[in-house]
Amino acid sequence: MQLINSFALSLLAGTAVPSASFSFAPTVKNSFLFQRTNNGAQTKSSLCMADEKKRIVVIGNGMVGQRFMENMLDMDEDDSVTLTTFCEEKRAAYNRVKLTSYFETRDPSDLSMTSEYDAEGKTAWYEDNNVEILLGDKAVSIDTEKKEVTGKSGKTVKYDKCVLATGSYPFVPPIPGHKRPGVFVYRTIEDLEAMLAYVKENNVKSAAVIGGGLLGLEAAKAVKDMEVESHIIEFAPILMCRQIDQGGHDALVGKIESMGLKVHCNARTSSILGSDGSEDTSEGEDAAPVSGLRFSNEDWDDLDVQMVVVSCGIKPRDELARDAGIEIGERGGIVVNEQMETSAKDVYAIGEIALYNNFIYGLIAPGYDMAGVCAKVVASDYGLTEEEASFTGADLSTKLKLLGCDVASFGVNQPRPEDEDVSYLTWNDPVSGIYRKLVFNKAGDKLRGGILVGDAGDYAKLQKLAVIDTDHTIENPAVLLAPPSSRTGDVEEEEDISDPNAQICTCNDVSRGQIAAVVQELGVEGATLPVLKKCSKAGTGCGGCEPQVKQILKEELEKLGGSLSNNICEHFPDYSRQELMAKVRLEDPADVNSFEKIQAKFGSHEHTDGCEICKPAVASILASIVNEVIIDDDRYGLQDTNDRSMANMQRGGTYSVVPRVPGGELSPDQLIALGDTAKKYQLYTKITGAQRVDLFGAAKYQLPDIWEDLGKAGFESGHAYGKALRTVKSCVGSTWCRYGVQDSVSFAVKVENRYKGVRSPHKMKSAVSGCARECAEAQGKDFGMIATENGYNLYVGGNGGTNPVHAELLAADIDEETVLKYLDRYLMYYILTADKLERTAPWQQKLPSGKNGGGPIEHLKEVIIEDSLGICDELDRRMEHLVTTYHDEWAEVVKDPERRKKFKQFVNTDEIQERDEMVEFIDMRGQLRPADWPADGQPQTNWQAPDDDIFARSEKSWVVVGKTDDFPVNAAATILYGDSQLAVFNNVARGEWYCTQNMCPHKQAFVLSQGIIGELEGAPKVACPLHKKNFDLETGNQIGAGTGEGNDLKILTFPVKIDSDNNVLVELPSEDEVNAILGTHGLRVLKSDCVDLAGDAIDLAMKKAVKNVSAQTKAQESVTQLNMKKSDNFFKNLFKKD
């Protein structure tokens, strides 16, 4: 509720002006084409006289349609065209080529072609560029006479030009049973989500992917990422028959099957079986779900699978054009000429829908070429360019990484039988899984094409020789044959990407020179890999060129005097987390036992205040080396959101409490104590996925009292808030289970009690299973133990979450003491060498291979078991220190009055504001939870502070809010002023004090005093603990606003001074005036169906009236109950003239 604030903004005319956004487009060479006569196109001169904007309607918002619009906008400098796009899916354009990478984060925004998605599925790009996007609205008809397109919603849009970019849909062969539950296609994010849900709901263990081409192998990778056994079913004798030959197939299959996938070629699938044994279902009947595949191959058994993914190719989505009478090819596809024009006037087709020269191009690079040509043709018609453009076909060379294996083909890679000008060189290394076939002319001095499997490091060089530099004479063809990974000595040649004209990104046709130009334009400070990719478009297609883009960035930064580094932040510009840890552990502990000492020794001498990145990183190092109470002394200000309160901050600024339950073992009395505590404090309770009980909804000031009650029942901190060991999950083992071979519960309790409280770069989870049935899921944990008849098998480096990783076997059949010895070393090795916020799985994957190969797990065996680095003594000693210095953090707080003071709600009063005074709590199945947050941009989000000082005309006074000792060092505490919460920051590092509102304007949560303070480029700032939005503590401005990262938010600030008696004073207007803007009750977050008063404030301003929102009224009256007289008098006082 932003009543007075909105009124003040309207009075002060605080109008927001969108800032310009930086973009880069490669320079276009002009060919001075002033007019075209084909198809009756208008001349430039006639179009330049037109006054009204031309509307271009793009049907299909996929990758190619999006690229057309971007190209069009780049040429439309005078804003002479309007773009509208029909988007059938529920979100704007995303990178379908990288669809399998969706499992890495499960965040659709990571695949977006523009920027992050909002709640509606749009991105800021469309509004920023005045592009109308019709989400979820499929175009259902085109009237080429009236020049209209109609969507499924009924909306009709007139066009001057229409571009069809409807793409294709997966071809599903009419195999009996193909409509069963459990049969999917692989095309969209929704397809992946549907598969994942089906796998979980139906306990799918095995799946078949029908199709062994590019899309089929990508689909197989998606199935593997779901931790489901994956079978690739291919009709042809080999995989990827359009790109590789038998030798390439053999190498690729070797790589694929080494990853646990199974390949079945020459497969003749006759039916998809149902769980009821049926081969087909009648139309309209409820079909039984998938249970297997049946083949017509002689002697082939049925294949037991519970899911089938069909990826047998594509079919152009040409039905829209067909219904409109536009010419369609005999086998589908919209017929186009070299200008991408269809048979209908002013209608174009691009991408997988376009049939050029009786050929459909199914790769992204040709689609982008078509989009570029089409944009230039349309722009030429409108006088926006003089460049002639035509599409005459495309190079089908491609380089991909399929299931972790390089696969590339280029040029003439499989010559026709009648082609006699051919000679071959072949490299076949089945041990390394590398196959290379180079196709030369008969004389052997011209490279014509090739196939590369397993090692395509020199693809760009070879592709250039075969496709671009076709006149280049090759003196020694054999030099090109060996893969880069096998070249040694004088023979070794690194791929030359120094030529400015060398094509780096084939998907987007971006050269090395264009990438270098973007780096030069961005400069040392602005050139990061994500920004470079966005501005140059290099690496945003299939992603295969990303290593080269990164290498060019590194080289160009070095030319500018910069470097591409993994440093923590500007406060530690020379060290990564691993490097800083290495430095600290070599020092005398007394010399590196605080942030200030570490920063002075190893940090920047220009920027010394730290930030929300380096402070938690150093706090983690201190916890792993020193291991003292994390909220004592100056360590309090280093802790991130959850560690500082030793509880997980949830929506609305409340916290959750998770007691430790070693091994998942609870006594009845403890269960009763949990229930009593939850009832006493009205906490929402839920069983976690790790055999614990989570209590939600606690206010920070309640936490010591809650933990005092829990401590009496024998509970300790569960460290759910920390980057530390969370739980050791267990099954019941041999004590109860008839299959158990070891006492898994007792061992889980022993393991958890040993490593509880151990801080690490990221959270750690563990499990102990009592037998090979693996009920505790130990192989999906950072470290896990599975009981055998002889002891335990120890697995390390697994994790669940967004990118599940299967743990690897470190040691087999070892006793409990040996398990603990190896775990001590493994965990300490991880703690000492991992990057910040890096879990064990990615850390382990980056380790070197063993001396004799075998990957990182062999390296770990050598280090941990064989002591190959000679560090086991140090690892043992450091872990023993952490174990022996363990302390229950909450027990330390409960028994110490000084530590309890850190949890007091307001330092200047014993008065409290209850949780439901800040956010409305609603009933859900008999328990209370906070009301849902509205989506960004909706009422009750992105609260707007006035651009100018709204209190400029107010009478102010210096108000004592406490003593200097009441406020933590290099951190903040909250004060209560009337009904308003203010945050007072004690920045000892700078010798400065600040005061701001405590409410973060993003979600109207009262949390800013819990944020980490620091600096950015010399400006003091606080990072909101909820979403890390940064605010300048002096100006109140959001740092990063106006760059696409924020919403130009702002907070109110107030002057602070310290008097001779160490009183802290804040200069403030009267309580009533501050409450009118910042009163807690006026800013309380309500259910989304409540009336929003912010939108009504302007109307009220027009009437010269506002609601009286003093602390006494609590701002509870509705707009319809305004007391007009009181409002007028109040506002006259608020803005009285000097």
Side-chain angles (χ1 to χ4, degrees):
M1 293 158 62
Q2 307 167 27
L3 193 58
I4 307 298
N5 199 10
S6 298
F7 184 88
L9 282 170
S10 65
L11 261 179
L12 299 170
T15 305
V17 181
S19 60
S21 58
F22 173 80
S23 62
F24 172 86
T27 303
V28 177
K29 297 179 181 178
N30 293 322
S31 57
F32 302 101
L33 178 68
F34 281 84
Q35 65 179 28
R36 289 179 30 251
T37 57
N38 59 310
N39 205 26
Q42 292 177 289
T43 64
K44 175 182 178 181
S45 56
S46 64
L47 281 166
C48 284
M49 297 172 64
D51 292 329
E52 62 181 23
K53 283 189 178 184
K54 301 295 183 180
R55 181 176 294 277
I56 304 172
V57 173
V58 181
I59 303 178
N61 187 229
M63 297 175 70
V64 174
Q66 178 68 24
R67 176 52 57 89
F68 167 81
M69 293 192 294
E70 292 174 0
N71 291 339
M72 199 70 224
L73 290 169
D74 286 342
M75 290 182 281
D76 184 24
E77 296 179 357
D78 298 327
D79 194 23
S80 58
V81 300
T82 297
L83 289 168
T84 296
T85 179
F86 283 85
C87 178
E88 182 179 351
E89 293 192 48
K90 67 180 185 180
R91 62 179 62 84
Y94 58 89
N95 191 332
R96 216 179 294 273
V97 177
K98 288 187 173 182
L99 195 56
T100 53
S101 67
Y102 176 68
F103 286 112
E104 294 175 8
T105 62
R106 294 281 298 278
D107 183 357
S109 291
D110 291 339
L111 294 178
S112 169
M113 297 293 293
T114 49
S115 57
E116 289 189 1
Y117 293 116
D118 59 21
E120 296 179 353
K122 298 179 182 178
T123 72
W125 183 89
Y126 297 89
E127 183 176 349
D128 292 345
N129 291 282
N130 295 317
V131 174
E132 181 185 24
I133 180 169
L134 306 175
L135 278 180
D137 198 0
K138 177 183 177 181
V140 294
S141 69
I142 306 174
D143 188 327
T144 58
E145 296 295 325
K146 294 181 179 179
K147 303 183 80 170
E148 293 178 345
V149 179
T150 301
K152 188 175 182 180
S153 66
K155 182 181 179 69
T156 296
V157 182
K158 287 190 171 290
Y159 67 83
D160 295 292
K161 302 279 188 183
C162 178
V163 179
L164 287 160
T166 49
S168 62
Y169 59 85
F171 168 66
V172 180
I175 303 171
H178 71 276
K179 294 185 178 181
R180 294 187 184 281
V183 179
F184 298 89
V185 295
Y186 175 79
R187 187 67 175 169
T188 67
I189 290 176
E190 279 62 46
D191 292 334
L192 287 182
E193 287 289 0
M195 284 185 235
L196 194 59
Y198 190 84
V199 166
K200 291 181 178 179
E201 291 168 5
N202 296 276
N203 195 28
V204 173
K205 299 298 183 184
S206 181
V209 177
I210 301 179
L214 288 173
L215 287 176
L217 296 185
E218 286 290 315
K221 169 68 163 57
V223 170
K224 178 182 180 295
D225 288 342
M226 298 178 199
E227 295 189 343
V228 172
E229 182 181 64
S230 183
H231 295 264
I232 301 170
I233 312 297
E234 171 56 41
F235 182 86
I238 64 173
L239 298 178
M240 294 182 64
C241 56
R242 291 188 178 184
Q243 287 84 21
I244 62 178
D245 60 5
Q246 183 68 50
H249 162 84
D250 293 340
L252 180 59
V253 168
K255 290 277 191 180
I256 290 173
E257 292 191 335
S258 70
M259 299 174 65
L261 289 86
K262 295 177 173 58
V263 178
H264 312 263
C265 289
N266 278 315
R268 303 294 186 263
T269 307
S270 61
S271 64
I272 301 174
L273 302 176
S275 58
D276 57 358
S278 62
E279 293 193 43
D280 197 4
T281 55
S282 302
E283 192 70 27
E285 290 185 359
D286 291 334
V290 171
S291 69
L293 291 184
R294 180 159 291 169
F295 305 96
S296 61
N297 303 63
E298 188 175 351
D299 298 329
W300 278 37
D301 295 331
D302 294 345
L303 180 64
D304 292 334
V305 294
Q306 298 83 49
M307 184 172 76
V308 173
V309 181
V310 181
S311 186
C312 296
I314 58 173
K315 292 189 69 175
R317 297 188 62 179
D318 55 16
E319 62 275 10
L320 194 63
R322 192 186 300 271
D323 293 343
I326 298 172
E327 183 182 356
I328 303 296
E330 184 179 345
R331 299 181 63 183
I334 303 173
V335 177
V336 296
N337 62 14
E338 293 182 353
Q339 278 69 47
M340 312 316 299
E341 296 165 321
T342 70
S343 61
K345 179 178 174 57
D346 292 325
V347 178
Y348 305 78
I350 56 177
E352 293 172 334
I353 187 67
L355 181 71
Y356 172 75
N357 202 15
N358 206 34
F359 191 83
I360 293 285
Y361 290 86
L363 298 174
I364 190 61
Y368 281 172
D369 289 345
M370 294 180 190
V373 168
C374 187
K376 290 174 184 175
V377 169
V378 172
S380 177
D381 280 355
Y382 291 158
L384 304 177
T385 183
E386 299 171 349
E387 183 176 2
E388 183 176 338
S390 61
F391 181 84
T392 57
D395 175 28
L396 295 180
S397 301
T398 183
K399 176 188 175 186
L400 300 167
K401 187 173 285 289
L402 297 170
L403 292 160
C405 178
D406 280 350
V407 179
S409 62
F410 57 92
V412 181
N413 55 75
Q414 297 188 65
R416 295 181 178 276
E418 62 270 20
D419 190 346
E420 297 183 354
D421 189 23
V422 174
S423 61
Y424 302 97
L425 285 177
T426 303
W427 178 288
N428 191 0
D429 179 0
V431 176
S432 301
I434 297 174
Y435 172 84
R436 292 158 67 88
K437 182 167 88 171
L438 300 184
V439 182
F440 297 89
N441 62 353
K442 205 168 189 68
D445 59 2
K446 296 287 191 296
L447 181 64
R448 297 186 61 194
I451 296 169
L452 312 173
V453 177
D455 186 344
D458 53 354
Y459 164 80
K461 174 183 177 180
L462 296 175
Q463 189 263 351
K464 180 181 178 184
L465 287 173
V467 179
I468 301 172
D469 294 345
T470 55
D471 294 331
H472 182 85
T473 299
I474 299 169
E475 297 180 0
N476 185 2
V479 172
L480 301 176
L481 182 60
S485 60
S486 69
R487 299 174 191 171
T488 58
D490 297 334
V491 182
E492 183 174 3
E493 290 183 19
E494 291 188 5
E495 185 176 353
D496 181 16
I497 56 172
S498 60
D499 181 358
N501 297 314
Q503 186 186 56
I504 302 301
C505 180
T506 56
C507 292
N508 294 301
D509 190 21
V510 185
S511 69
R512 194 229 193 272
Q514 290 168 339
I515 296 172
V518 176
V519 178
Q520 295 283 336
E521 184 75 23
L522 292 171
V524 172
E525 297 299 325
T528 63
L529 185 61
V531 173
L532 175 60
K533 288 168 63 178
K534 181 178 180 180
C535 293
S536 69
K537 295 185 171 65
T540 59
C542 71
C545 64
E546 188 168 308
Q548 292 170 295
V549 175
K550 191 173 182 179
Q551 177 64 25
I552 295 169
L553 172 60
K554 179 177 181 293
E555 293 172 0
E556 294 302 316
L557 284 175
E558 289 173 353
K559 291 178 184 178
L560 295 173
S563 62
L564 186 64
S565 67
N566 188 31
N567 63 332
I568 295 176
C569 63
E570 68 175 19
H571 307 101
F572 290 90
D574 300 323
Y575 301 106
S576 65
R577 191 264 182 192
Q578 304 101 309
E579 293 164 339
L580 185 61
M581 171 63 92
K583 289 286 186 181
V584 170
R585 59 188 267 250
L586 295 176
E587 295 287 332
D588 184 326
D591 294 334
V592 286
N593 60 2
S594 70
F595 178 85
E596 287 71 21
K597 291 179 180 178
I598 293 176
Q599 207 284 328
K601 273 184 174 290
F602 307 114
S604 167
H605 296 297
E606 180 180 357
H607 303 292
T608 61
D609 197 16
C611 65
E612 75 278 8
I613 298 173
C614 63
K615 284 185 173 182
V618 171
S620 173
I621 291 173
L622 290 172
S624 299
I625 298 293
V626 182
N627 199 27
E628 295 177 345
V629 178
I630 62 171
I631 63 168
D632 280 1
D633 305 322
D634 62 345
R635 290 186 293 279
Y636 178 79
L638 305 180
Q639 307 305 323
D640 210 344
T641 305
N642 297 331
D643 282 292
R644 184 175 301 184
S645 298
M646 300 199 304
N648 287 32
M649 181 179 282
Q650 307 293 349
R651 286 194 297 108
T654 59
Y655 293 85
S656 60
V657 173
V658 187
R660 184 168 298 286
V661 182
E665 189 176 63
L666 275 170
S667 71
D669 286 340
Q670 287 179 314
L671 283 170
I672 292 169
L674 286 170
D676 288 342
T677 302
K679 289 175 68 175
K680 179 178 178 180
Y681 297 96
Q682 292 187 299
L683 304 177
Y684 177 101
T685 58
K686 184 185 181 301
I687 303 296
T688 73
Q691 299 180 332
R692 301 198 288 190
V693 178
D694 210 337
L695 311 176
F696 291 87
K700 183 177 178 179
Y701 71 85
Q702 294 176 317
L703 293 174
D705 294 334
I706 291 172
W707 276 105
E708 185 172 3
D709 291 348
L710 292 173
K712 293 174 183 177
F715 287 110
E716 293 182 325
S717 171
H719 291 92
Y721 49 82
K723 302 296 184 280
L725 176 71
R726 297 291 177 85
T727 63
V728 181
K729 189 176 179 181
S730 74
C731 63
V732 295
S734 60
T735 53
W736 288 96
C737 180
R738 65 183 185 276
Y739 298 107
V741 295
Q742 301 289 347
D743 183 358
S744 56
V745 179
S746 295
F747 191 39
V749 172
K750 184 176 182 179
V751 173
E752 186 159 349
N753 281 330
R754 179 167 183 80
Y755 300 117
K756 61 186 178 183
V758 171
R759 287 302 206 284
S760 51
H762 211 298
K763 64 184 177 185
M764 300 184 295
K765 296 183 179 181
S766 179
V768 182
S769 285
C771 71
R773 296 167 71 89
E774 245 283 69
C775 294
E777 302 168 331
Q779 293 175 87
K781 301 292 188 281
D782 295 274
F783 58 96
M785 289 67 72
I786 300 178
T788 69
E789 294 287 351
N790 302 313
Y792 289 92
N793 289 343
L794 173 58
Y795 292 84
V796 293
N799 66 250
T802 57
N803 187 23
V805 176
H806 204 281
E808 297 180 274
L809 181 64
L810 180 67
D813 292 327
I814 55 178
D815 60 28
E816 293 184 0
E817 294 309 311
T818 306
V819 169
L820 295 180
K821 179 172 72 172
Y822 291 168
L823 277 180
D824 284 357
R825 295 171 181 177
Y826 175 80
L827 295 178
M828 207 67 230
Y829 191 37
Y830 161 61
I831 289 168
L832 294 178
T833 61
D835 200 357
K836 63 181 187 297
L837 300 179
E838 184 174 46
R839 289 199 68 173
T840 57
W843 164 77
Q844 186 166 310
Q845 291 168 353
K846 292 193 302 187
L847 293 174
S849 183
K851 295 176 182 177
N852 298 314
I857 191 65
E858 293 301 319
H859 168 78
L860 284 170
K861 291 177 182 177
E862 292 166 3
V863 172
I864 291 167
I865 301 174
E866 302 170 16
D867 197 14
S868 61
L869 299 181
I871 61 171
C872 282
D873 284 346
E874 180 188 358
L875 300 179
D876 293 343
R877 175 170 44 82
R878 289 190 179 277
M879 181 55 75
E880 191 60 29
H881 169 72
L882 295 181
V883 171
T884 56
T885 57
Y886 166 76
H887 46 270
D888 176 12
E889 292 169 344
W890 268 113
E892 298 297 320
V893 170
V894 167
K895 69 185 181 183
D896 187 334
E898 288 302 314
R899 290 181 177 132
R900 290 183 78 130
K901 283 182 180 178
K902 289 179 167 39
F903 295 85
K904 188 178 179 183
Q905 188 175 23
F906 305 115
V907 299
N908 65 328
T909 178
D910 291 330
E911 184 180 345
I912 61 171
Q913 289 188 337
E914 301 287 356
R915 64 183 188 180
D916 54 3
E917 295 181 68
M918 292 172 271
V919 58
E920 183 176 8
F921 274 71
I922 60 177
D923 181 272
M924 185 174 73
R925 295 182 293 277
Q927 297 197 85
L928 294 177
R929 69 166 181 86
D932 291 335
W933 266 338
D936 279 3
Q938 298 301 309
Q940 303 186 104
T941 67
N942 300 335
W943 180 89
Q944 291 293 316
D947 292 331
D948 298 315
D949 184 2
I950 194 171
F951 300 120
R953 299 179 179 180
S954 301
E955 293 181 358
K956 305 180 184 71
S957 60
W958 288 98
V959 179
V960 176
V961 297
K963 295 286 188 179
T964 54
D965 290 344
D966 294 331
F967 297 88
V969 173
N970 292 322
T974 315
I975 63 169
L976 185 64
Y977 183 65
D979 187 46
S980 303
Q981 294 189 24
L982 305 179
V984 176
F985 299 84
N986 177 14
N987 194 333
V988 173
R990 297 170 66 99
E992 297 172 350
W993 290 75
Y994 318 96
C995 179
T996 72
Q997 65 191 59
N998 192 39
M999 180 206 64
C1000 177
H1002 178 217
K1003 293 292 186 181
Q1004 290 187 201
F1006 296 83
V1007 295
L1008 287 182
S1009 64
Q1010 302 303 303
I1012 292 180
I1013 65 173
E1015 65 175 349
L1016 180 65
E1017 298 178 352
K1021 69 183 182 73
V1022 61
C1024 172
L1026 282 174
H1027 299 106
K1028 295 298 186 265
K1029 293 189 181 294
N1030 284 269
F1031 298 94
D1032 190 310
L1033 288 170
E1034 292 180 331
T1035 66
N1037 294 328
Q1038 183 186 351
I1039 297 175
T1043 63
E1045 298 176 8
N1047 300 286
D1048 297 320
L1049 302 176
K1050 186 175 181 180
I1051 59 176
L1052 297 179
T1053 63
F1054 305 91
V1056 183
K1057 70 178 182 180
I1058 310 300
D1059 68 14
S1060 58
D1061 294 325
N1062 291 322
N1063 290 313
V1064 180
L1065 298 94
V1066 181
E1067 188 178 33
L1068 294 166
S1070 70
E1071 286 186 3
D1072 281 352
E1073 293 180 62
V1074 175
N1075 291 342
I1077 307 296
L1078 297 175
T1080 298
H1081 293 83
L1083 295 168
R1084 179 176 183 245
V1085 175
L1086 305 175
K1087 288 192 298 184
S1088 58
D1089 58 353
C1090 291
V1091 176
D1092 169 56
L1093 300 184
D1096 299 326
I1098 300 300
D1099 293 336
L1100 295 174
M1102 297 295 184
K1103 300 172 184 178
K1104 299 291 184 183
V1106 297
K1107 183 173 58 172
N1108 185 338
V1109 285
S1110 68
Q1112 287 72 35
T1113 63
K1114 303 289 187 181
Q1116 296 299 304
E1117 299 99 351
S1118 67
V1119 175
T1120 57
Q1121 296 173 327
L1122 290 175
N1123 183 318
M1124 304 296 288
K1125 183 176 180 180
K1126 287 184 179 180
S1127 300
D1128 273 340
N1129 292 337
F1130 174 77
F1131 218 81
K1132 287 175 182 177
N1133 291 331
L1134 183 60
F1135 289 100
K1136 64 184 179 182
K1137 296 183 178 180
D1138 294 332

